[in-house]
Every structure is written in structure tokens, then in C-alpha cells.
Amino acid sequence: MSEVENPLNAKPTEGTEEADPHFEPVVKLTQEVETKTLEEDEDVVFKMRAKLFRFDASSAEWKERGTGDVRLLSDKETKKVRLVMRRDKTLKVCANHLLSAEMKLQPNVGSDRSWVWKVAADYSEEPPTAETLAIRFANSDNANQFKTAFENGQITNTGGEVPEKKVEEKTESEEEKKPDTEEKDKEE
């Protein structure tokens, strides 16, 4: 029996050339297009790689918004600081909002490398929406650096004032009134 040679395994003989396909482009790009991100008039205050999540209230679960560099940008004229995050490959904006004094960074339950905060208006999608966002970093040191930069941005945006931390303090008059009402309830 004779073996049949496979034409795909055949080596080119001395008089033949291997086919090297070459295609000319249909459209030639002659000029470079300038892309504006509207971030040209801002300085980068903080930049670090992270993963962003948003809380979906309808399904009561966290949904991934994107992975990329989270940046705190300071406007050169107004000095206002905003948080901007773009996805890695597509560069689509997944977070875009000013840092306000009402935003409270809270540690995420069970993790020392992530933070949760609420945004009144996030402009990454149309129309702007109120969101609960969470961000996770590679380690706790990176998360703490983000917290420091975030809080510094809040101070800058409030005109140098430290955002107020709401602490409930009872005055003496409130404490004195409370036992009186309890005694009246017992008498009745």
C-alpha cells in the first residue's frame, strides 16, 4: 500500500515561492484626529488601579462597573476636585462626580481594602443618577492612600473646612428630661 501525501505538509520545491498575502488598505488615514477628554484643564492629584462596583437596589446586589485607574482631578482654575474612573481597554467613563462634604467613606463589611460611599449625582451615564459606589484596591495600603486623598479633596472643595462629622451629643437638659418622662409613665 502506498501512503498518500498530505498537501498541507508538503514543503515548497525549489522553483516555487510561498504565498505571502498583502492587502492594501481601502481607506488611508492621513491626518491624526485630536481626542478631547475634557480632562486637559485638570491636574492629577491621585491615581491608582482599582475595581469599581455599584449597588443595584432592584436586585439587592453589587454589580461591577469597571476596572481601571481611579483618578482625583483638580481643576486648574476653580481648584475643585472630582473623581474620574475609566475602564481599562475601552476608556469608557465608569465614575465621574465632584467630591462633596456629604460623601462619607465607609469601610466595606469584611474588607480592609475597599470603601463604600453614596453619590448624589454621578455623571458617568446620562442622565446623572444617585448611586451607592464601592471601590476595591489591591491592598489595604492603597485603600488608605485613596481615603486620605479623597478626604483631602473634600476639604479642598469645601473651601478648606473639614467636613462635619455628625456625632450625637446629649445635652444635660435632654438627659434630665428623659428620666422624668419615664417616671411619669410608671405613675400612670
Side-chain angles (χ1 to χ4, degrees):
M1 247 205 247
S2 66
E3 289 185 30
V4 178
E5 278 192 40
N6 184 348
L8 297 176
N9 291 336
K11 295 180 182 176
T13 57
E14 281 185 29
T16 63
E17 295 180 20
E18 282 189 45
D20 186 21
H22 177 70
F23 299 101
E24 290 294 322
V26 177
V27 178
K28 292 190 179 192
L29 301 176
T30 56
Q31 64 187 111
E32 191 173 318
V33 177
E34 186 177 323
T35 306
K36 293 198 175 205
T37 62
L38 302 178
E39 298 168 12
E40 292 80 17
D41 295 334
E42 296 174 309
D43 294 322
V44 177
V45 177
F46 176 85
K47 179 179 175 181
M48 193 165 293
R49 186 168 171 73
K51 186 177 278 194
L52 187 73
F53 299 88
R54 72 174 179 84
F55 187 74
D56 184 18
S58 63
S59 63
E61 65 181 3
W62 289 99
K63 302 222 173 178
E64 185 176 338
R65 194 87 45 89
T67 301
D69 286 332
V70 60
R71 294 176 298 154
L72 298 180
L73 303 174
S74 175
D75 189 274
K76 290 179 182 176
E77 291 179 24
T78 64
K79 302 296 182 202
K80 294 285 185 185
V81 179
R82 68 180 178 134
L83 183 144
V84 175
M85 185 170 177
R86 292 180 178 271
R87 294 185 185 128
D88 273 340
K89 294 180 183 173
T90 63
L91 299 180
K92 183 179 178 191
V93 176
C94 57
N96 179 15
H97 58 271
L98 279 174
L99 301 183
S100 66
E102 293 80 32
M103 294 179 194
K104 303 288 184 233
L105 273 185
Q106 299 172 337
N108 197 359
V109 178
S111 178
D112 62 344
R113 58 188 186 124
S114 63
W115 298 103
V116 177
W117 72 98
K118 292 187 181 205
V119 180
D122 183 53
Y123 292 89
S124 61
E125 296 177 2
E126 290 292 330
T129 56
E131 298 279 356
T132 300
L133 300 174
I135 193 163
R136 186 175 67 208
F137 294 91
N139 56 46
S140 62
D141 292 338
N142 291 355
N144 289 330
Q145 288 175 19
F146 171 76
K147 181 181 183 201
T148 303
F150 189 95
E151 289 172 346
N152 289 341
Q154 286 179 308
I155 291 169
T156 301
N157 287 354
T158 57
E161 299 173 15
V162 179
E164 293 181 24
K165 293 183 179 179
K166 294 180 181 177
V167 178
E168 293 181 20
E169 294 182 19
K170 294 181 181 178
T171 61
E172 288 182 25
S173 60
E174 288 177 354
E175 289 178 9
E176 290 173 1
K177 290 178 184 176
K178 206 170 193 179
D180 292 341
T181 56
E182 290 174 5
E183 289 176 14
K184 288 181 182 176
D185 290 339
K186 289 180 185 176
E187 292 175 1
E188 292 177 1

